[in-house]
Structure formats: C-alpha cells, structure tokens
C-alpha cells in the first residue's frame, strides 16, 4: 500500500525535493555571496552521492516525484553525472531538473545529458559583459552563452533562463533577455530579488517588481497574456506573448508570494532538511544517514519536518527574520 502523501498543517501536498550538492560556486553574485572570505561547509560534512540517492529514494516512497539539483554551483561537484544517473533511475521520479550558472556547461552539458538529464535552468541576469562582470564579479558571460547554445544543440528541453531582476541595475536587460529567449526558444523567468544575500544588504527598494517588468515587456516587445496555471504549485506565473512567439515567467516571491501552494522541501549539501527556502529552523539528517538508522526513521524525520512547516515566508511582515543560511548554502 502506497505511503500517505507528505501533507503539512495547511493541507499542502509535497512532491518536490530540491537537493543542493555543494555550497561552492565559481562566480560571486553580489545578491548571494560575499566577494571574499566565503564560509564554506567542511568537505567531510558534505553528503556523498550514495547518501543523497538514499534520501531521495526514501522521499520518493513518500510521494516526492520531482527532483531538482542545485548548489552553490552543482556543476562544480565532481562526477555529477554519476548522481544524475542514480537519481534518474529511481522508480517514481517523474521529473529531474538542474539549476546552474552555466559557466561549466561547455564541458559538462554532454555527460549530464547522457546521464539522463533533460530539463535545465540556467541563471543569467544580463547579456551585457560589463553588467555580468559587475553582478557576478567574474568575466564568464561567453562561456555561459556557449553552454546555452550547446544545450540547445544537445536537445535539452525545456531550457529556462533564470534572471534575477534588481532595481537600478538590470532594467536595461529586460527586453534584450526576453528577445534572446524568443529568438532561441528559451523561457526566460524574471526572479524578484529576495532577502537571502550573505551580506544582508537586501532592501525592498532594490526589488524590481514583476508588474514593472511586465509593463516594460508589453511596451518593448509585445502585449502579454497570463497563461492559466498549468500547475498552480509551480513557483512561476507564466505569460505568453499575444503574437504567439514564446513565453515568459515571473517568480515574484516579494510582490506575489506563492507559499499557499508550496510543494517543495530542500536538502542542503551538508544534509539538513529545510521545509522552506526562508526557514529559520532545519533538521539535520546526517546523523541518521551516517548512524545506521533504517529507512523508517528517516521517513519519520521527513514527515515531522513537513508536519512542522510554517504557512510561508514573512518577507512582507515586520516579523521577517532572514534565514541563518545564505542562498548559496541552501540552493534555489
Ligand atoms: S518561501 Fe517557503 S513556503 Fe513560500 S513558496 Fe518558497 S519555499 Fe514555499
């Protein structure tokens, strides 16, 4: 008899697990990581592929069907294709995706595709070399574009572009990125800047709102019409151009929170289970994974974590406290 689904106190069914495979990254986006003196988890604390696979296998028995691989930058994890192959082989996994900054795609898009990966999100905020450098503190735009072109040739689908929108910085990128998506069959999703930066410099004034971006696109490219939710639990609200050429998405955590439909839990690279991107508390799974616990004990832990999940982030309330972990050590 199938196990009872993972339902929290608000009636939300959880079927989506995001696994961070490393907190390391090869770029330094200012809205995520400090430029220098980054605190990384000691390597011995990082879960092995076997531990990640075991956790995923147990989670699948509880109704998880979607897996997303994140980081830091997941392509920095050596032999990542081996983990992809393991996860793709778990019966019950209906959807396996990965989010990357794309810098290592020229070398690794092939082996990952061979291992069974088909869906990929590539983080790219600008097509302008100077602004890329300013945002990421690295001069790698060409490699990212080369990686995107290779993913298209290999047949990854869908390929989505995740673009963090920051006020008074990325406005000039909105139309060029959207055009780039239309011309190359890529779905661009604009992400509102969230208070997850390691240096705690986020403020509301820096958030370029989804409605503002929509306005710019409707004037600069073509009118947009909202697509009725394919999956209301997916974080992005999607639009199509009135001329039928392409789609655009918005992940508007600040101006249009979507917590009431949340179906996600996260496993950090050092084995902590988080019921929310912004959670203050988390559950350490490592002692069980490394301490001889049986699958039942780990199931109980997952159920307890989901059972204790809060209603949603409190970015828009005076009670908001940034999570103790910055974005790079949680994963998108
Ligand atoms: S902020 Fe937390 S509860 Fe809200 S959608 Fe994101 S992960 Fe889910």
């Amino acid at each position: 008899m199938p196990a009872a689904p993972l339902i929290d106190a608000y009636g939300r069914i959880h079927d989506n697990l995001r696994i961070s495979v490393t907190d390391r990254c090869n770029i330094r986006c200012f809205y995520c990581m400090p430029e220098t003196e980054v605190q990384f988890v000691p390597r011995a604390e990082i879960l092995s592929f076997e531990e990640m696979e075991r956790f995923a296998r147990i989670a699948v028995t509880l109704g998880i069907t979607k897996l997303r691989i994140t980081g830091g930058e997941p392509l920095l994890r050596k032999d990542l294709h081996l983990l992809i192959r393991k996860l793709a082989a778990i019966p019950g996994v209906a959807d396996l995706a990965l989010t990357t900054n794309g810098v290592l795609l020229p070398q690794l898009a092939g082996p990952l595709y061979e291992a069974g990966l088909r869906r990929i999100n590539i983080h790219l905020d600008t097509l302008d070399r100077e602004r890329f450098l300013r945002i990421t503190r690295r001069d790698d735009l060409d490699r990212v574009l080369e990686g995107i072109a290779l993913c298209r040739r290999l047949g990854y689908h869908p390929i989505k572009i995740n673009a963090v929108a920051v006020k008074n910085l990325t406005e000039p990128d909105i139309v060029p990125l959207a055009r780039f998506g239309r011309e190359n069959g890529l779905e661009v999703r604009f992400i509102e800047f969230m208070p997850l930066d390691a240096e705690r410099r986020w403020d509301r004034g820096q958030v370029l709102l989804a409605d503002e971006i929509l306005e710019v696109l409707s004037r600069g490219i073509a009118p947009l019409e909202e697509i009725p939710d394919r999956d209301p639990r997916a974080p992005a609200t999607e639009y199509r151009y009135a001329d039928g050429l392409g789609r655009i998405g918005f992940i508007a955590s600040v101006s249009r929170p979507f917590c009431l439909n949340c179906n996600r839990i996260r496993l950090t690279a050092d084995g902590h289970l988080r019921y929310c991107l912004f959670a203050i508390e988390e559950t350490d799974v490592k002692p069980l994974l490394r301490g001889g616990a049986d699958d039942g004990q780990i199931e109980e832990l997952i159920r307890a974590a989901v059972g204790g999940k809060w209603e949603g982030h409190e970015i828009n309330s005076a009670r908001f406290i940034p999570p103790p972990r910055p974005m790079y050590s949680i994963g998108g």
Side-chain angles (χ1 to χ4, degrees), residues 9 19 29 47 51 89 169 277 283 315:
I19 303 175
C29 301
L47 296 184
E51 289 166 333
L169 179 62
L277 185 56
T283 312
I315 298 173

Side-chain angles (χ1 to χ4, degrees), residues 166-182:
V166 181
K167 194 159 246 173
N168 303 324
L169 179 62
T170 64
E171 283 90 341
D173 300 301
I174 296 170
V175 170
L177 270 174
R179 281 218 175 93
F180 177 69
R182 276 160 60 99

Side-chain angles (χ1 to χ4, degrees), residues 19 22 25 64 69 72 88 120 122 145 154 196 210 233 236 269-270 276 285 331:
I19 303 175
T22 181
C25 191
I64 294 286
I69 302 297
I120 198 162
I122 300 160
L145 296 175
L154 287 166
L196 288 165
R233 297 164 312 156
D270 59 344
C276 170
V285 192

Side-chain angles (χ1 to χ4, degrees), residues 9 114 152 158 171 182 187 222 247 256 273 315 317 327:
E114 273 157 43
R152 291 186 62 224
E171 283 90 341
R182 276 160 60 99
E187 186 180 313
R247 293 165 171 251
R256 305 180 192 171
L273 182 59
I315 298 173
S317 99
M327 183 66 155

Side-chain angles (χ1 to χ4, degrees), residues 8 12 14 18 194 233 235 253 257-266 274-279 309-315:
D8 66 22
R12 297 170 293 195
H14 291 70
R18 300 186 171 200
M194 293 180 276
R233 297 164 312 156
S253 306
F258 36 84
C259 303
L260 292 181
N261 288 317
C262 185
N263 62 339
R264 293 169 293 283
I265 53 175
R266 290 173 166 83
R274 299 177 58 80
Y275 56 58
C276 170
L277 185 56
F278 291 92
K309 178 166 178 164
W310 63 9
E311 191 173 8
H313 71 61
E314 299 186 316
I315 298 173

Side-chain angles (χ1 to χ4, degrees), residues 109-244:
L112 292 169
Y113 190 88
E114 273 157 43
L117 187 67
R118 293 293 178 271
R119 241 159 59 73
I120 198 162
N121 291 44
I122 300 160
H123 167 211
L124 179 64
D125 306 331
T126 176
L127 297 170
D128 177 86
R129 188 169 176 197
E130 282 312 309
R131 252 190 317 284
F132 186 96
L133 196 57
R134 196 167 147 205
I135 293 169
T136 68
R137 297 123 162 190
R138 297 290 183 277
D139 192 12
D140 289 319
L141 177 59
D142 293 347
R143 293 169 72 180
V144 178
L145 296 175
E146 187 191 336
I148 293 171
L150 176 57
C151 286
R152 291 186 62 224
R153 286 200 303 279
L154 287 166
Y156 279 89
H157 184 79
I159 302 172
K160 298 184 178 179
I161 303 295
N162 287 1
V164 176
V166 181
K167 194 159 246 173
N168 303 324
L169 179 62
T170 64
E171 283 90 341
D173 300 301
I174 296 170
V175 170
L177 270 174
R179 281 218 175 93
F180 177 69
R182 276 160 60 99
E183 289 154 11
N184 294 287
L186 312 166
E187 186 180 313
V188 176
R189 303 123 64 81
F190 291 100
I191 302 175
E192 289 182 346
F193 179 19
M194 293 180 276
L196 288 165
D197 56 313
E199 294 169 304
R200 302 262 185 272
R201 294 202 187 129
W202 179 90
D203 79 70
R204 201 167 291 284
Q206 293 173 291
V207 180
L208 192 47
L209 302 173
D211 287 344
E212 294 170 305
I213 302 169
L214 258 175
E215 174 66 27
V216 170
L217 290 170
S218 304
R219 268 188 286 112
I221 297 188
L224 285 152
E225 50 203 32
E226 189 168 341
I227 300 170
D229 275 355
R230 287 181 298 168
D231 178 354
R233 297 164 312 156
T237 310
E238 298 193 340
Y239 291 74
R240 66 175 153 241
Y241 293 99
D243 64 6

